[in-house]
Amino acid sequence: DDSQDLTLPIGVYIYELYAAYGSASNSVPDTAKPVIGQKIDGKDAETWIRDKALDNTKSILVIDRKMKELKLSLTKDENKSVESLTSSGWQQMQSTLEGHGVAKASFQTAYADYYTKYAKVFNALYGKDGSKAVSDTELKDYFEKNYTDFSYLVLPLYKTDSKGSTAVMTDAEKKTAEKEFDDYAAKIKSGDMTLRQAADAYKKSTKATEDPLQSDTAALGSDSNYPDNFKKLLEPLKTGEAATGELSGTYSLYLLVQKNDITKKTDDELKNSRSSLLSAMKGKEFADAVEKEAQSLTGVTLNDKAIESYSPSLFADAFTSSSEAASE
């Protein structure tokens, strides 16, 4: 019977405790207060961290079993990348982890080895010939429904003097500045100008050296790089339509945005970014399935005594000092 499970050293669990503490420090209601003592998802943080660490440790066994079921093994190149991922991660975390009894080999099992195998199993299941294979038609539909292709120009609504200090524009100055973009938008609407021509005209009027036109393809529903009022401006537009609007912040910006034809990007996306599109589409489903399996995993012997001897608060210092350093 080759279903014999991997035996995981306690260092793997300690690493998972450390990682779970890190997640907890970002998930507690008040990140300025100590983690232990707060609640996450209705559980006290200490219990939440212990549960998550145990589930994540069991997930390693789940993925190991799936590798065997699917008769997968890491290639020479994949093993090389595991080594280099381990080395770079270990450089950053060695002092914290070694101090708590985590050896480099345990770190490798829990970190680089796990994520490489996890991706391999995911691709084997959802890829071309997998049991949950996603067809190009499904991917195409997902991409065209969830992604937006757009281009935009940005006009700062503030002035910078020769010394480099900035001042907000007066309402009258703002109006004058905005008129340039509003005129471009009207011309684009009437078909007398393209956004490309507007960008060239704007470049000339500002004597800019760089091309001011920016373009991107993004899943705006889940993309945190763009502020909500940017998304609100873009969402109602039909393909080819342009609009102007203000993004307010410390210093406001005025935008001219145009929604492009997403279908022109599909072939390129399926050819060059199929696996990242696949994980955007099915990644959560897979992660949930692995977690569920880990929680109900049977036939696993736990060294409860060893597990109980490690408390999440061991890692309080590792995270408070780094968050304090970050906020200083």
Side-chain angles (χ1 to χ4, degrees):
D1 179 20
D2 69 344
S3 65
Q4 207 40 51
D5 277 314
L6 193 65
T7 301
L8 297 176
I10 190 69
V12 168
Y13 173 76
I14 303 169
Y15 169 76
E16 295 299 355
L17 206 57
Y18 162 79
Y21 195 103
S23 299
S25 65
N26 294 320
S27 311
V28 285
D30 187 347
T31 50
K33 284 190 181 149
V35 171
I36 306 293
Q38 296 194 62
K39 276 192 154 42
I40 305 169
D41 304 335
K43 282 183 187 177
D44 64 279
E46 176 146 359
T47 307
W48 187 91
I49 292 167
R50 284 183 182 277
D51 290 350
K52 191 174 176 63
L54 194 56
D55 287 345
N56 289 352
T57 304
K58 288 180 180 174
S59 296
I60 298 172
L61 298 175
V62 170
I63 291 296
D64 186 64
R65 285 182 184 186
K66 287 190 185 304
M67 288 284 289
K68 288 173 184 156
E69 276 164 31
L70 296 163
K71 301 192 169 36
L72 298 171
S73 55
L74 296 185
T75 63
K76 208 169 151 184
D77 284 347
E78 285 166 337
N79 278 316
K80 268 198 180 132
S81 99
V82 165
E83 299 279 326
S84 71
L85 264 174
T86 302
S87 298
S88 55
W90 189 244
Q91 267 180 325
Q92 293 165 354
M93 298 183 241
Q94 178 174 6
S95 57
T96 303
L97 295 176
E98 265 187 344
H100 292 295
V102 180
K104 188 177 181 179
S106 294
F107 170 68
Q108 175 164 317
T109 301
Y111 175 72
D113 202 54
Y114 173 68
Y115 289 111
T116 308
K117 287 175 177 170
Y118 181 96
K120 185 138 193 169
V121 171
F122 174 82
N123 287 317
L125 292 173
Y126 292 96
K128 294 277 192 203
D129 304 310
S131 57
K132 297 171 187 281
V134 178
S135 70
D136 279 357
T137 317
E138 289 173 280
L139 271 178
K140 172 185 191 292
D141 290 346
Y142 175 80
F143 176 66
E144 291 172 2
K145 222 183 236 121
N146 292 282
Y147 286 68
T148 307
D149 188 54
F150 54 93
S151 300
Y152 60 99
L153 293 171
V154 181
L155 175 78
L157 294 177
Y158 54 86
K159 302 165 297 191
T160 312
D161 64 19
S162 55
K163 293 197 191 83
S165 55
T166 33
V168 179
M169 286 183 177
T170 64
D171 287 347
E173 288 170 323
K174 246 182 177 178
K175 245 194 173 109
T176 312
E178 289 172 1
K179 189 180 180 308
E180 182 177 0
F181 273 17
D182 292 339
D183 288 348
Y184 294 153
K187 283 181 180 161
I188 290 169
K189 192 175 181 180
S190 67
D192 296 327
M193 192 180 225
T194 61
L195 185 63
R196 175 68 271 168
Q197 289 166 326
D200 294 339
Y202 179 54
K203 184 180 176 183
K204 212 170 161 180
S205 77
T206 52
K207 301 184 177 61
T209 47
E210 305 267 320
D211 181 4
L213 185 62
Q214 302 187 61
S215 296
D216 196 7
T217 308
L220 289 176
S222 56
D223 194 307
S224 53
N225 295 321
Y226 293 96
D228 287 341
N229 41 7
F230 181 88
K231 296 176 187 180
K232 281 200 185 87
L233 186 61
L234 195 52
E235 270 154 10
L237 300 180
K238 292 188 177 72
T239 297
E241 285 184 345
T244 52
E246 186 178 325
L247 285 195
S248 46
T250 322
Y251 292 110
S252 297
L253 305 168
Y254 201 59
L255 294 177
L256 169 59
V257 287
Q258 182 173 41
K259 188 179 278 186
N260 303 325
D261 182 355
I262 188 70
T263 62
K264 289 192 170 153
K265 293 279 172 163
T266 310
D267 290 345
D268 187 51
E269 183 75 16
L270 290 183
K271 202 174 108 193
N272 300 319
S273 312
R274 194 179 197 281
S275 64
S276 57
L277 186 61
L278 197 55
S279 67
M281 183 179 178
K282 294 290 185 180
K284 189 178 181 318
E285 178 185 302
F286 182 61
D288 291 347
V290 171
E291 184 182 12
K292 209 174 148 184
E293 241 175 279
Q295 286 167 349
S296 61
L297 196 64
T298 54
V300 175
T301 319
L302 298 174
N303 182 344
D304 290 327
K305 203 171 166 202
I307 286 173
E308 278 157 23
S309 66
Y310 290 95
S311 153
S313 54
L314 283 176
F315 294 107
D317 292 352
F319 290 94
T320 44
S321 55
S322 63
S323 58
E324 279 163 14
S327 60
E328 267 165 24

